[in-house]
Amino acid sequence: MSRPRQAAHDDQRELTDTQAVERLQASVLRLEQSERLQRALFAIANMAASELDVQSLLKALHGIIAQLMYAENFYIALYDPQGQTIRFIYFADVMDGQLYRPDQEFTAEQLHNTITLALIRHGLPRRGASDEIARDLGLDRSRAVGTPSVDFMGVPMRRDGQVFGVLTVQSYEAGRGYTQSDQNVLAFVAEHVLNAVERKLSQEALERRVADRTRELASVNARLQEQVFERERAAHLQTTLYRIAALSHSQEGNETFYRSIHLAVGELLNAENFYIALVSEDHRQLDFPYYVDDTGAKLETRPLGDGMSEYAIRGGQTVLMNRAEISALMARSEVDAATYGQESVCWLGAPLLSSKGVMGVVVVQSYRENLYYTPQDADLLTFVSYQIANTLQRRQQDEALQALNAQLEQRVLDRTLELRQEITVREQAQQQLRHQVMHDPLTGLPNRLYLRDRLERALSARQRGGRFALLYLDVDRFKLFNDGLGHLVGDAVLREVAARIADCVRPPDVVGRLSGDEFAILLENCPQPSTACQVAQRIQAKMAQAILIDDRTLHVSVSIGIAMSHPGYQTVDQLLHDADTALYRAKAAGRQRFVLFDEKLHASAMNVLDLEQQMRTALDDGQFVPYFQPIVRLADASVTGYEALIRWQHPERGLLGPGDFLPAAEETGLIEAIDWHMYRLACQAVRGFLGDQQVLNINISPHHFHSRNFPQRLLDMMAQTGIATHQLCIEVTEGTLLSDPDAAGKILGNLHEAGIRIALDDFGTGYSSLSHVHRFPLRTLKIDRSFIDPLGRGQQPRSTAIVSAVLSLAKSLDLDVVAEGVETAVQRDTLLAMGCVQAQGFLFGRPGPAHEWPPS
């Protein structure tokens, strides 16, 4: 075979193979579409049988439709052929908001000029621009309702050939429309949606009818029970009255007697708040031998005054009053509000009449608005009061005999009280002695014994996860003060040093004097060495102030050794030894300083403190600058956006990357201030080169998700800098979402609703990537560079499989994908062949300042 004929044959075979591949790809696509449609129908059927309410069901249906096609603007309208009314049971539209409410019902006349009514009457699906559809349907667009859409697609929902509603989606964006395939899918789904919705509406209607009928039956039952109650009350009235009369002959104790009276009264009328008040023999006091009160009020013996009880006693007649009548008595100064106490809704009291006059009163009262006493209740209580008075008169005679026994018992109680007082005095003396044993008499601080006890407890807590620090202090050159100026001056110096150290800590931290001029501080909640270093710095700053003693100005300094708790410490002596060793190093290094027992920790803590001050200066001086790295489209290397990256133009160390200072910013709490400073600078800088369709990516740290006003603050900043919401994309890591998923979900939801894009950074490196894609409103997945890097070193099946899976997942969920860390042409070509659209990396551009990027 000649070379030209061989080449033609090869070309023909390659064309045939290409066509075969294309047919296979088309077949796979149809199969995927069929599977998605099948899953959607299965989900609709499941929801129809679920416990969801109607609105939750409709929202879920919206989500299912959105998986099959673009459905950001979506509504369902139901049509009642008999009443010729229409209800928009679900309406979601980015342009028209809540144009129709689910509870609104419209007549056909009200909607006569709408596409919705026209679709219902024509019974045929329609697709295209809303203005064109309206014109084809003969509608007057000058009187149109709602915003015209670029592409509109609506299908009727039928049952048995009759239209019962429409299902519509629409788009307001050019280039985002619908195909005949979308129309076929929507028409196929419409009947299933109608079945699910009607089933759920019928279920809720049935539940409402059952609830209404249940309420009716409950009302009838209540009336029957009320009639039964009245008859039962009449039946046992005679029995109860007999029991009350029989109580006058009982030999029961007072508490049992009064409780029996209470129970008997409670069988005749509501006595949930009940008391009996008795006038003392000298007629000066009012006693309350028995009371039950819902408010928890305590009724104690008091001088006769102007309360409601005294009002009934003075009148000698049964009193029945409501709140207004009681207030009138108070206004006329017949009843004193302070003596009356808790104001009741209704008050009923009957005087207790004896041969010597009124001896007291029996009272029931109500604090509830639905409980009032009647005149019949007053008659019953009046009769009961006669029986109570007769019984009390006899019992008072018996109590006179028991008074002698009561006096003897009182003497026993008095002696018991004296003994208890003696025991209390002894306990106080023991506590004072213990304080003296556990505290230093010169400074009043806890001594070594007390401190060892606290350290023992701190070590036990450390085994359960707590961290603490021990600071060992020594007064520099104290021997000169003590020997040169005398012991009195030395003692004064120690007292002043103790007071200044105590001012530098807060409870539950403990300051103790160990011996001589040695002190110790236990910081019980000290997770970081830098915290202990800050306390040491405060102490040394406090000591820098001169001390005035006996007209002498003295300058005192201290050396400090610090030991941080760790699992290796088993005893207090080990901890004290290490702290003392660190103190020795501090004194050997020149005094007036502090040293961590671990030199590495010491250097690290000091570096954090120093770096914190430098970062504060950098914020004030504007040393932080934004750099930008482009995000490109792989097909033509065109720029789709930029990621803002922070740099520190350090005056001494030059340009620093984020790894050199952001960890320290996280530890010191400066990260939020630096972030907001960076966001503003980045938004101001990109105005010179960011195109309208390009996006600025900024990274959000977990700290921002602890602030509920973060979304509003970000939107305010964008408005001030002139950046539109569609031009901004925030990047969050999976660790950020794991810190507080509920708070993150609310904040991301607010930002998504405002139009800001959300990207999941370092996708695939976390613990629950797929759950994040499902739970949060993500727009973009950024594949971590750890999966991209192997693509440039030959065949890497594992990385290739992971990247392919991510791309397939993103495509099915309509998410954008950006591959990070692309540095070679091989990586670019591999990603392009796999279907990846966007990428970012050194191959396309290194991070640079704003002036390096030309306007788009």
Side-chain angles (χ1 to χ4, degrees):
M1 181 182 296
S2 65
R3 186 177 302 275
R5 292 181 61 191
Q6 180 64 39
H9 178 73
D10 292 343
D11 292 342
Q12 181 63 34
R13 183 173 59 183
E14 182 176 356
L15 178 60
T16 303
D17 292 343
T18 300
Q19 292 174 344
V21 169
E22 290 177 350
R23 288 193 298 272
L24 287 175
Q25 290 177 341
S27 177
V28 170
L29 181 59
R30 288 192 300 273
L31 180 60
E32 290 178 351
Q33 292 175 342
S34 176
E35 290 178 350
R36 285 200 303 270
L37 182 59
Q38 185 178 4
R39 287 195 299 269
L41 296 178
F42 182 72
I44 292 172
N46 280 344
M47 283 189 295
S50 69
E51 298 298 327
L52 293 175
D53 56 42
V54 173
Q55 285 304 311
S56 299
L57 171 70
L58 296 175
K59 189 173 182 180
L61 289 174
H62 183 188
I64 293 174
I65 299 298
Q67 295 178 3
L68 300 175
M69 65 192 66
Y70 174 71
E72 188 173 8
N73 307 292
F74 170 81
Y75 69 84
I76 301 175
L78 289 185
Y79 176 63
D80 180 8
Q82 293 182 349
Q84 293 192 352
T85 58
I86 297 175
R87 252 190 337 128
F88 293 85
I89 62 172
Y90 186 82
F91 193 91
D93 196 286
V94 298
M95 299 297 291
D96 294 333
Q98 295 296 325
L99 183 61
Y100 302 109
R101 298 196 312 272
D103 58 343
Q104 285 182 301
E105 190 171 72
F106 299 92
T107 63
E109 179 62 27
Q110 290 175 307
L111 301 178
H112 73 281
N113 197 53
T114 62
I115 296 178
T116 301
L117 181 62
L119 288 176
I120 292 173
R121 288 180 169 173
H122 286 76
L124 296 175
R126 294 283 182 165
R127 177 169 54 86
S130 59
D131 287 340
E132 295 179 359
I133 294 176
R135 187 165 47 253
D136 293 343
L137 295 173
L139 302 178
D140 183 5
R141 292 309 289 165
S142 64
R143 301 174 61 188
V145 178
T147 305
S149 56
V150 175
D151 201 356
F152 177 95
M153 182 168 66
V155 298
M157 297 189 296
R158 299 175 178 274
R159 188 179 69 250
D160 299 331
Q162 187 172 2
V163 177
F164 287 91
V166 292
L167 198 67
T168 67
V169 292
Q170 53 187 328
S171 169
Y172 299 105
E173 301 179 21
R176 176 171 279 183
Y178 303 101
T179 64
Q180 182 62 43
S181 176
D182 292 334
Q183 180 177 317
N184 295 338
V185 169
L186 192 61
F188 186 69
V189 170
E191 181 179 350
H192 296 271
V193 171
L194 178 62
N195 291 336
V197 169
E198 287 188 335
R199 180 177 178 181
K200 184 58 68 174
L201 290 175
S202 299
Q203 178 183 348
E204 288 198 350
L206 177 60
E207 291 174 353
R208 285 195 299 272
R209 289 195 297 272
V210 169
D212 292 341
R213 184 55 180 163
T214 300
R215 284 193 294 271
E216 293 176 3
L217 293 175
S219 178
V220 173
N221 183 54
R223 290 194 296 271
L224 291 175
Q225 287 182 346
E226 184 177 354
Q227 294 175 6
V228 170
F229 174 75
E230 290 297 332
R231 293 179 181 178
E232 290 179 348
R233 182 178 180 182
H236 74 261
L237 176 59
Q238 295 299 326
T239 303
T240 303
L241 292 176
Y242 176 78
R243 285 175 50 201
I244 294 174
L247 286 175
S248 62
H249 304 291
S250 69
Q251 300 298 322
E252 297 173 339
N254 285 339
E255 181 65 25
T256 304
F257 166 73
Y258 288 125
R259 187 182 302 110
S260 299
I261 292 294
H262 183 195
L263 293 175
V265 174
E267 292 183 4
L268 298 178
L269 66 160
N270 187 291
E272 59 189 24
N273 300 292
F274 172 90
Y275 70 85
I276 294 176
L278 299 179
V279 179
S280 64
E281 291 185 1
D282 58 6
H283 294 277
R284 293 181 178 180
Q285 292 184 328
L286 193 65
D287 299 326
F288 297 89
Y290 182 85
Y291 65 88
V292 174
D293 196 278
D294 283 347
T295 66
K298 294 185 178 180
L299 302 180
E300 299 177 348
T301 299
R302 67 170 186 249
L304 281 172
D306 293 326
M308 283 296 298
S309 299
E310 290 89 332
Y311 179 81
I313 291 171
R314 288 195 303 268
Q317 294 181 348
T318 300
V319 175
L320 173 60
M321 288 189 174
N322 56 31
R323 181 184 295 161
E325 292 169 333
I326 296 173
S327 298
L329 286 179
M330 294 180 183
R332 297 195 301 268
S333 299
E334 295 185 50
V335 171
D336 179 55
T339 305
Y340 170 47
Q342 176 69 33
E343 185 177 353
S344 56
V345 173
C346 187
W347 194 93
L348 172 60
L352 300 174
L353 302 177
S354 69
S355 58
K356 297 181 181 181
V358 180
M359 61 187 303
V361 64
V362 57
V363 176
V364 292
Q365 53 187 330
S366 167
Y367 299 113
R368 295 187 282 131
E369 297 291 344
N370 60 346
L371 175 59
Y372 284 85
Y373 296 108
T374 65
Q376 292 78 11
D377 295 330
D379 292 340
L380 286 173
L381 191 62
T382 301
F383 179 77
V384 171
S385 69
Y386 298 149
Q387 303 299 329
I388 296 174
N390 291 334
T391 304
L392 284 174
Q393 198 168 16
R394 183 183 59 81
R395 295 179 69 87
Q396 286 176 350
Q397 297 172 356
D398 295 337
E399 288 173 356
L401 180 61
Q402 299 173 0
L404 294 175
N405 293 332
Q407 291 177 4
L408 179 60
E409 291 177 0
Q410 184 60 42
R411 291 178 182 178
V412 175
L413 291 174
D414 292 342
R415 183 53 184 162
T416 303
L417 179 60
E418 292 176 1
L419 292 175
R420 287 179 178 175
Q421 291 175 346
E422 292 176 2
I423 293 172
T424 301
V425 171
R426 187 174 300 175
E427 290 175 348
Q428 291 174 349
Q430 290 176 348
Q431 291 176 356
Q432 185 177 2
L433 179 60
R434 176 177 175 81
H435 183 272
Q436 293 174 354
V437 172
M438 302 291 284
H439 286 74
D440 171 50
L442 176 63
T443 62
L445 294 177
N447 59 17
R448 179 183 291 270
L449 184 63
Y450 183 95
L451 189 65
R452 288 184 66 89
D453 178 67
R454 290 293 296 269
L455 285 172
E456 289 284 0
R457 284 185 279 172
L459 281 175
S460 299
R462 172 67 183 86
Q463 296 173 359
R464 298 191 297 270
R467 292 207 65 188
F468 65 92
L470 177 65
L471 280 66
Y472 208 128
L473 298 86
D474 180 272
V475 180
D476 297 330
R477 299 181 299 276
F478 177 74
K479 185 175 178 60
L480 296 177
F481 298 112
N482 208 37
D483 295 346
L485 301 177
H487 292 287
L488 293 179
V489 174
D491 290 347
V493 169
L494 291 177
R495 284 193 292 268
E496 181 63 21
V497 168
R500 294 188 180 190
I501 295 174
D503 286 342
C504 295
V505 298
R506 296 289 183 271
D509 301 331
V510 179
V511 178
R513 183 188 178 201
L514 301 183
S515 64
D517 62 333
E518 293 183 349
F519 297 84
I521 302 174
L522 171 61
L523 302 178
E524 290 209 348
N525 184 16
C526 185
Q528 299 294 335
S530 58
T531 303
C533 293
Q534 290 173 347
V535 174
Q537 287 178 330
R538 287 203 302 269
I539 293 173
Q540 290 183 332
K542 193 80 171 179
M543 295 301 171
Q545 304 171 14
I547 299 177
L548 183 63
I549 299 176
D550 293 339
D551 297 329
R552 290 188 178 92
T553 301
L554 305 178
H555 294 276
V556 180
S557 64
V558 295
S559 298
I560 306 174
I562 304 174
M564 298 296 299
S565 64
H566 62 74
Y569 288 125
Q570 301 298 322
T571 66
V572 172
D573 289 331
Q574 291 175 330
L575 184 64
L576 288 170
H577 176 270
D578 288 351
D580 187 49
T581 301
L583 172 62
Y584 176 79
R585 293 180 184 176
K587 297 184 76 69
R591 298 185 177 87
Q592 198 173 352
R593 64 191 63 213
F594 63 91
V595 172
L596 276 166
F597 176 73
D598 188 337
E599 294 294 348
K600 293 181 180 179
L601 285 178
H602 176 75
S604 174
M606 291 305 298
N607 182 57
V608 169
L609 292 174
D610 182 57
L611 193 57
E612 177 184 2
Q613 184 57 43
Q614 293 182 28
M615 286 189 291
R616 293 184 186 278
T617 302
L619 277 172
D620 294 337
D621 296 347
Q623 297 174 11
F624 293 110
V625 294
Y627 270 47
F628 302 89
Q629 186 176 29
I631 302 172
V632 304
R633 185 177 291 105
L634 284 173
D636 55 7
S638 61
V639 176
T640 61
Y642 298 85
E643 180 179 355
L645 304 169
I646 190 171
R647 296 292 186 270
W648 183 0
Q649 191 64 54
H650 197 281
E652 298 175 1
R653 299 169 59 187
L655 190 67
L656 301 180
D660 295 326
F661 58 89
L662 284 188
E666 292 274 359
E667 182 178 347
T668 59
L670 287 174
I671 186 64
E672 290 189 65
I674 293 175
D675 277 350
W676 283 113
H677 179 72
M678 186 62 190
Y679 299 158
R680 183 172 295 276
L681 290 179
C683 289
Q684 292 172 344
V686 297
R687 287 184 299 182
F689 59 88
L690 188 70
D692 182 69
Q693 299 304 316
Q694 292 178 340
V695 178
L696 171 65
N697 287 32
I698 60 175
N699 293 277
I700 306 299
S701 70
H703 293 272
H704 295 294
F705 287 88
H706 300 308
S707 174
R708 289 182 295 179
N709 67 342
F710 172 71
Q712 188 58 49
R713 185 176 178 184
L714 183 63
L715 292 172
D716 292 343
M717 186 270 294
M718 294 173 61
Q720 294 169 6
T721 56
I723 298 297
T725 55
H726 73 275
Q727 292 180 294
L728 186 70
C729 176
I730 65 169
E731 296 189 12
V732 295
T733 62
E734 298 182 55
T736 299
L737 302 179
L738 282 173
S739 62
D740 190 348
D742 293 334
K746 292 179 181 178
I747 290 177
L748 293 180
N750 292 337
L751 295 175
H752 174 71
E753 291 176 1
I756 295 177
R757 301 167 182 250
I758 301 167
L760 183 58
D761 200 9
D762 303 332
F763 182 75
T765 60
Y767 297 101
S768 54
S769 300
L770 293 179
S771 67
H772 292 155
V773 173
H774 171 74
R775 180 172 184 177
F776 299 103
L778 303 176
R779 180 69 177 272
T780 303
L781 302 179
K782 299 192 75 173
I783 304 178
D784 187 70
R785 63 183 306 119
S786 61
F787 301 115
I788 304 302
D789 184 62
L791 299 181
R793 299 196 302 269
Q795 295 296 325
Q796 297 292 333
R798 185 178 180 84
S799 293
T800 302
I802 292 175
V803 174
S804 297
V806 173
L807 292 172
S808 298
L809 172 67
K811 184 177 180 181
S812 65
L813 298 177
D814 195 24
L815 297 177
D816 297 332
V817 175
V818 177
E820 294 185 298
V822 178
E823 299 182 355
T824 67
V826 175
Q827 293 172 337
R828 177 198 61 197
D829 296 341
T830 303
L831 289 169
L832 192 60
M834 296 171 68
C836 184
V837 178
Q838 298 181 83
Q840 178 181 353
F842 289 168
L843 180 65
F844 312 108
R846 293 178 176 271
H851 64 79
E852 292 185 4
W853 305 108
S856 299

